[in-house]
Amino acid sequence: MIEIKDLQIKYDDFVAINDINFQIEEGEFFTLLGPSGCGKTTTLRAIAGFNKPSKGSINVKGKNITNTPIEKRGLGMIFQSYALFPTMSVYNNIAYGLKIEKKSKSDIHERVLELAELVELNESQLEKNVSDLSGGQQQRVAIARALAKRPNIVLFDEPLSNLDAKLRKQLRLELKRIQRETGMTAIYVTHDQDEALEISDKIAVFNDGVIEQIGTPREIYDHSSTEFVCKFIGEANYIDRALIEYINQHNEKRQFDATSRHYIREEKIKLWVPENSVAVPIQAKIIDEVFYGTFSTFICEALDTTLRIIVKEDGNDVIDSSKELTVYIEPKDILEYGGD
């Protein structure tokens, strides 16, 4: 288990992160998520040993490693820039750490081939210089090299951000597979919400040097504990006061504070009455439609609120965009934050 306790990092008078606390279980894929400058990479680099905390502690399996030198922490790390040796072959890049440890040639060869298979690099690619590989292939080499010494914990610093969207999606699935097959504990930094939701067991959402929420992807998305998390994770409709007051008038299950701020996820708004539902029917006028192939988004107006509604393209429901819709909102799906 990894425990980060009361961690703070200051640069002169600037506090980069403050009072950071979280625990990571063995074998967990734990993601530090947030916008640029929020403190997620600073936290990761503190765990790696590159940043020295002003206060607090970093503990691994009960041992305080806050002041342990980088090379003695036993952690693997994969950088955004890959940090490979461009004039070396793929084989020698993967084998580098093992050679430093003076492992036997047969042990090194066996381990390199094992890792090449794990990250799906073939023997001809092992013979190439890494400079001759694509970005996606280079990232596979970086993963293999980080795993060569069998670390229990591997740190990932936005490793896919330099790749195109399609390759990024493919490789994040590969990362999850590799993590699952090796049983390693992964600490992963990203600003990509979709990436975090797809691969994580737990997510810590950072904002301005503090953690706003820690939870599973479903908890973070469906039960965002702060307005920042709600707006940062996925898409959410802001519900104006007139519509909230209408919903209060037409349901007995849950009443909302009209002075608070309210949101609902796009896909939570339905075009039919869900089974055993207490959903409130609302008349909405379609003002635009955006087609995405497998689904469409309808932009509607209802009581001064602009609502974006996701509709799957299954060929059964054809919506006349020139007419009004009746949409249904379940009070339980509304997220409420603060008050005046």
Side-chain angles (χ1 to χ4, degrees), residues 26-232:
E26 189 170 346
E28 197 167 50
F29 202 116
F30 193 97
T31 297
L32 313 182
L33 173 68
S36 298
C38 68
K40 58 189 186 297
T41 296
T42 300
T43 302
L44 188 80
R45 291 177 64 84
I47 296 171
F50 295 114
N51 291 338
K52 186 175 181 180
S54 314
K55 69 173 186 176
S57 63
I58 301 163
N59 301 279
V60 177
K61 294 184 178 180
K63 180 183 178 182
N64 189 329
I65 65 164
T66 311
N67 297 311
T68 301
I70 296 169
E71 66 277 8
K72 293 184 178 180
R73 297 193 178 201
L75 308 176
M77 187 155 186
I78 299 171
F79 298 91
Q80 181 177 351
S81 60
Y82 314 146
L84 298 171
F85 301 111
T87 58
M88 282 188 187
S89 68
V90 170
Y91 186 103
N92 286 330
N93 265 275
I94 297 172
Y96 182 79
L98 300 173
K99 290 179 178 179
I100 294 296
E101 289 189 336
K102 301 188 184 303
K103 298 291 185 182
S104 69
K105 285 187 177 181
S106 60
D107 285 347
I108 291 173
H109 185 68
E110 182 181 348
R111 183 61 175 154
V112 170
L113 293 183
E114 178 186 352
L115 289 166
E117 182 178 359
L118 181 68
V119 301
E120 298 184 349
L121 291 169
N122 59 45
E123 289 193 29
S124 66
Q125 289 168 329
L126 288 176
E127 297 170 2
K128 294 181 178 180
N129 282 354
V130 292
S131 57
D132 296 328
L133 300 183
S134 68
Q137 291 168 339
Q138 287 187 33
Q139 194 55 281
R140 290 176 188 273
V141 177
I143 294 167
R145 188 181 66 176
L147 296 177
K149 294 165 68 174
R150 303 182 190 275
N152 292 321
I153 302 166
V154 180
L155 313 181
F156 297 84
D157 185 12
E158 304 217 38
L160 308 182
S161 61
N162 290 334
L163 306 175
D164 65 69
K166 186 175 181 180
L167 185 56
R168 209 161 53 233
K169 192 173 181 70
Q170 176 191 339
L171 275 185
R172 67 194 188 206
L173 293 174
E174 290 294 305
L175 275 178
K176 184 63 178 176
R177 173 187 63 81
I178 291 167
Q179 183 263 341
R180 185 174 59 248
E181 290 181 5
T182 60
M184 69 179 176
T185 302
I187 309 177
Y188 192 93
V189 163
T190 184
H191 62 273
D192 187 320
Q193 304 96 314
D194 291 339
E195 189 169 279
L197 291 171
E198 188 170 343
I199 64 178
S200 308
D201 297 315
K202 290 276 185 67
I203 299 171
V205 183
F206 280 68
N207 179 33
D208 199 19
V210 299
I211 294 176
E212 296 257 344
Q213 184 177 358
I214 298 174
T216 66
R218 190 174 295 278
E219 289 167 345
I220 294 287
Y221 184 83
D222 285 340
H223 305 288
S224 305
S225 62
T226 70
E227 189 173 10
F228 172 83
V229 175
C230 172
K231 294 167 72 174
F232 185 74

Side-chain angles (χ1 to χ4, degrees), residues 269-273 280-285 309 323-328:
I269 303 172
K270 306 299 184 184
L271 298 181
W272 60 90
V273 182
V280 176
I282 298 162
Q283 291 302 115
K285 181 182 179 181
I309 304 167
K323 296 183 178 180
E324 287 195 349
L325 285 175
T326 300
V327 299
Y328 299 87

